[in-house]
Amino acid sequence: MLLENKVAFVTGAGSGIGAAGARAMAREGAHVFVTDRDGVAARTVAEVISSEGFRADTIEVDVTDDEALGRAIASVAQNTGRLDVLHSHAGIQIEGKLEQVTVAEMDASWAVNVRAHFVAAQAAIAPMRAHGGGSIIITSSNSGVQIDREMIAYATTKHAVLAMTRQMAADYGKDNIRFNALCPGFIDTPFNRGFETQMGGRDKLEDYISETIPMRRFGTVDEIADGIVFLASDRSSFMTGHALIIDGGESI
Ligand code: NAD
């Protein structure tokens, strides 16, 4: 198993990609802390993992609460004696172009899509350094490497967090703490509901996907979970500061 005896902390793990990544890391032997602002959703994911015979615990935490997020990460490190993987995943998407997005919505996007990753990564450094290193995976998006139409808050913050990931990678390579950005394309989760509405419904969204994505389909959460396990484990031991784009070719 690729993550035997490792401890992993995942934010936004109550649904979608975060949940699939948590399950995949647990299947590889990690003790996974499934965290989400929706405590019921997080508990459901942890129960599935336990029912499959693997290890998971739950913490209800909203990543915009700096103190609670820092405390949750510190308590996991203290109670288990280590922290090997942080997958800082929770994010939000607010649609619209410059004249449509309010300053408050831009600030809200920044708080979840950039600031919370800073807070989480900061809390993970000391316990990772104490055990000779770790892997920090920050969820950006392929919107962090391309410009989307009418998505100013999302594309700007996803570019910013990619820059921050690369900066942290450069600063902490000597501590063997690796930072990589996960950059999915269209993955079929509830996250795309806002964009679906913006496009005019599910059929329109599927038309758009088959016209604009070379592989002509949504990706699955399991296709992203494979990337998460790769970045979390020693399979990517010499990789840091990388943007792992998994998007069916959309950003080519
Ligand atoms: P999802 O909607 O399936 O799950 C998101 C989870 O995050 C939910 O359980 C929600 O409760 C939780 N969450 C939201 N705000 C939170 C907060 N403030 N604190 C704690 N938890 C919070 O979404 P998903 O598909 O897993 O996508 C989420 C992440 O993946 C985002 O960072 C998003 O930018 C990125 N992403 C998704 C796609 C996609 O197509 N699904 C593509 C590119 C990037």
Side-chain angles (χ1 to χ4, degrees):
M1 289 198 284
L2 293 172
L3 295 169
E4 204 158 9
N5 300 321
K6 305 285 190 195
V7 171
F9 185 104
V10 187
T11 71
S15 173
I17 296 166
R23 288 179 67 181
M25 288 195 284
R27 281 197 297 272
E28 290 295 338
H31 179 179
V32 180
F33 287 79
V34 178
T35 83
D36 202 287
R37 70 173 172 193
D38 181 341
V40 174
R43 241 184 325 281
T44 305
V45 173
E47 279 165 10
V48 170
I49 291 172
S50 303
S51 73
E52 292 171 340
F54 305 110
R55 295 188 72 191
D57 279 297
T58 305
I59 304 175
E60 182 177 316
V61 62
D62 186 320
V63 298
T64 60
D65 182 338
D66 299 349
E67 220 236 304
L69 180 57
R71 204 177 338 110
I73 292 171
S75 76
V76 166
Q78 201 172 3
N79 295 337
T80 64
R82 57 190 306 134
L83 178 66
D84 302 284
V85 178
L86 166 67
H87 180 196
S88 190
H89 175 69
I92 56 169
Q93 183 175 68
I94 291 170
E95 300 81 26
K97 57 186 177 185
L98 180 59
E99 296 155 281
Q100 294 157 339
V101 173
T102 66
V103 173
E105 287 172 330
M106 189 62 176
D107 284 347
S109 301
W110 193 265
V112 183
N113 293 350
V114 183
R115 192 173 186 282
H117 297 299
F118 174 90
V119 172
Q122 199 170 54
I125 292 296
M128 286 188 174
R129 189 192 273 129
H131 275 89
S135 171
I136 297 183
I137 304 164
I138 308 262
T139 296
S140 172
S141 167
N142 67 353
S143 303
V145 296
Q146 65 180 14
I147 296 304
D148 291 333
R149 287 200 311 272
E150 304 188 4
M151 276 290 175
I152 189 167
Y154 191 66
T156 302
T157 54
K158 291 297 186 178
H159 273 73
V161 78
L162 181 52
M164 190 174 77
T165 305
R166 288 162 56 78
Q167 174 70 46
M168 296 187 294
D171 291 340
Y172 288 94
K174 65 181 182 313
D175 295 299
N176 195 33
I177 301 173
R178 301 185 294 109
F179 285 83
N180 291 290
L182 182 72
C183 298
F186 274 104
I187 310 303
D188 202 3
T189 76
F191 193 78
N192 290 308
R193 281 190 193 135
F195 186 63
E196 187 178 306
T197 307
Q198 190 188 28
M199 292 299 293
R202 178 80 187 188
D203 289 350
K204 293 271 174 19
L205 176 59
E206 287 191 357
D207 289 349
Y208 173 82
I209 284 171
S210 69
E211 279 158 21
T212 57
I213 298 178
M215 293 187 74
R216 307 187 68 175
R217 65 170 176 88
F218 274 108
T220 68
V221 292
D222 289 332
E223 287 172 315
I224 305 302
D226 286 339
I228 293 167
V229 168
F230 172 69
L231 292 178
S233 73
D234 283 346
R235 285 284 160 92
S236 59
S237 54
F238 198 47
M239 183 187 284
T240 195
H242 190 76
L244 185 60
I245 301 166
I246 308 174
D247 71 349
E250 187 190 0
S251 58
I252 291 169

